[in-house]
Amino acid sequence: MACTLDLFGGDDPVQHGRVALGPQAVVLRGYALPVVDELLAGVDAVTAQAPFRHMETPGGYTMSVALTNCGGLGWTTDARGYRYSRIDPQSGQPWPAMPQSFLRLAADAAAEAGFPGFAPDACLVNRYEPGSRLSLHQDRNERDYAAPIVSVSLGMPAMFLFGGDARADRAERVPLFHGDVVVWGGVDRLRYHGVMPLQDLPHPQLGSVRINFTIRKAG
Ligand code: MD6
Ligand code: FE
């Protein structure tokens, strides 16, 4: 996969600007870079209270991506299905509060992408290691599809797959880098998407880890 390796090539200057993925879906390159340290402090605060864990899918598989949540509602999966819950099933306690830095970035990015007034109540935090992947899925456990989803990528790069409204539709490959923010909603809200298995391309600050968090209005 020479093209992947080229895209991920070592010391390219940091990219800025917008990449349209659809009429209402956009990558804001490097948008989170000015606040990365605050975001990482937020991730540490969340995971101190609600550690990353590998959840089971309804199909009986263990996810290769480890996850946790913050905000009033958290996304979980187990043998009984996917759902949002106010309680962390591992601790029996509410999920940690959403860090202010997450809320501010999400509202700013959403407005920048044409979704003013974004008021999220949920944030799913994913941790990828080399080989971790996320199979094609739709985000459809939220109650109301009017609000967009804001997705922040930190650490190692990943090849994101952005497909259509049907699972079989051809998926575009979009590399996501440290500091990139993806916003999508509206007509693109239910597009299939996923992440290819991560290559081990250690990030200077985070090492062999990719953190992605997606900020949503779930309830
Ligand atoms: C990831 N992201 O980038 C996985 N879902 O690691 C998602 O599944 C996702 O980035 C909805 C909206 C944006 C996303
Ligand atoms: Fe998703």
Side-chain angles (χ1 to χ4, degrees), residues 65 124 126-128 133-135 137-139 142 148-153 158-162 176 182-184 189 191 193-195 198 210-216:
V65 174
L124 169 58
N126 291 316
R127 185 190 65 199
Y128 294 73
R133 62 187 289 271
L134 196 61
S135 52
H137 66 278
Q138 290 171 298
D139 286 27
E142 299 74 28
I149 294 179
V150 175
S151 163
V152 181
S153 293
M159 192 60 86
F160 192 61
L161 299 169
F162 197 63
L176 293 181
V182 185
V183 182
W184 79 64
R189 178 64 179 72
R191 303 258 309 253
H193 57 280
V195 178
L198 252 72
R210 172 176 183 255
I211 304 284
N212 169 267
F213 51 94
T214 46
I215 302 152
R216 305 136 185 262

Side-chain angles (χ1 to χ4, degrees), residues 46-47 49-53 55 67-69 71-76 85-96:
V46 168
T47 57
Q49 223 179 302
F52 286 116
R53 77 290 303 265
M55 290 187 180
L67 65 87
T68 186
N69 291 278
L73 289 166
W75 185 88
T76 66
S85 166
R86 300 205 164 273
I87 300 294
D88 174 353
Q90 190 164 290
S91 67
Q93 298 296 122
W95 297 103

Side-chain angles (χ1 to χ4, degrees), residues 10-206:
D11 20 48
D12 293 343
V14 170
Q15 303 271 338
H16 286 277
R18 309 166 70 102
V19 181
L21 301 181
Q24 291 185 282
V26 64
V27 183
L28 306 174
R29 290 269 181 235
Y31 191 82
L33 288 174
V35 292
V36 161
D37 290 348
E38 290 163 68
L39 299 175
L40 288 171
V43 171
D44 284 346
V46 168
T47 57
Q49 223 179 302
F52 286 116
R53 77 290 303 265
H54 291 274
M55 290 187 180
E56 305 284 328
T57 68
Y61 294 96
T62 299
M63 293 181 68
S64 62
V65 174
L67 65 87
T68 186
N69 291 278
C70 57
L73 289 166
W75 185 88
T76 66
T77 172
D78 61 18
R80 288 157 48 219
Y82 308 118
R83 65 190 159 278
Y84 280 96
S85 166
R86 300 205 164 273
I87 300 294
D88 174 353
Q90 190 164 290
S91 67
Q93 298 296 122
W95 297 103
M98 182 121 50
Q100 282 300 324
S101 57
F102 289 24
L103 287 169
R104 207 174 314 121
L105 178 70
D108 289 350
E112 180 73 27
F115 299 96
F118 183 41
D121 58 10
C123 177
L124 169 58
V125 188
N126 291 316
R127 185 190 65 199
Y128 294 73
E129 290 172 0
S132 298
R133 62 187 289 271
L134 196 61
S135 52
L136 278 183
H137 66 278
Q138 290 171 298
D139 286 27
R140 54 184 313 154
N141 299 117
E142 299 74 28
R143 198 170 57 77
D144 174 3
Y145 300 144
I149 294 179
V150 175
S151 163
V152 181
S153 293
L154 299 174
M156 290 205 293
M159 192 60 86
F160 192 61
L161 299 169
F162 197 63
D165 290 334
R167 185 182 294 277
D169 291 347
R170 192 192 62 82
E172 180 181 351
R173 294 177 177 202
V174 185
L176 293 181
F177 300 94
H178 182 68
D180 287 350
V181 177
V182 185
V183 182
W184 79 64
V187 297
D188 293 313
R189 178 64 179 72
L190 291 177
R191 303 258 309 253
Y192 275 88
H193 57 280
V195 178
M196 290 181 59
L198 252 72
Q199 299 184 324
D200 191 2
L201 297 164
H203 183 266
Q205 196 176 354
L206 293 179

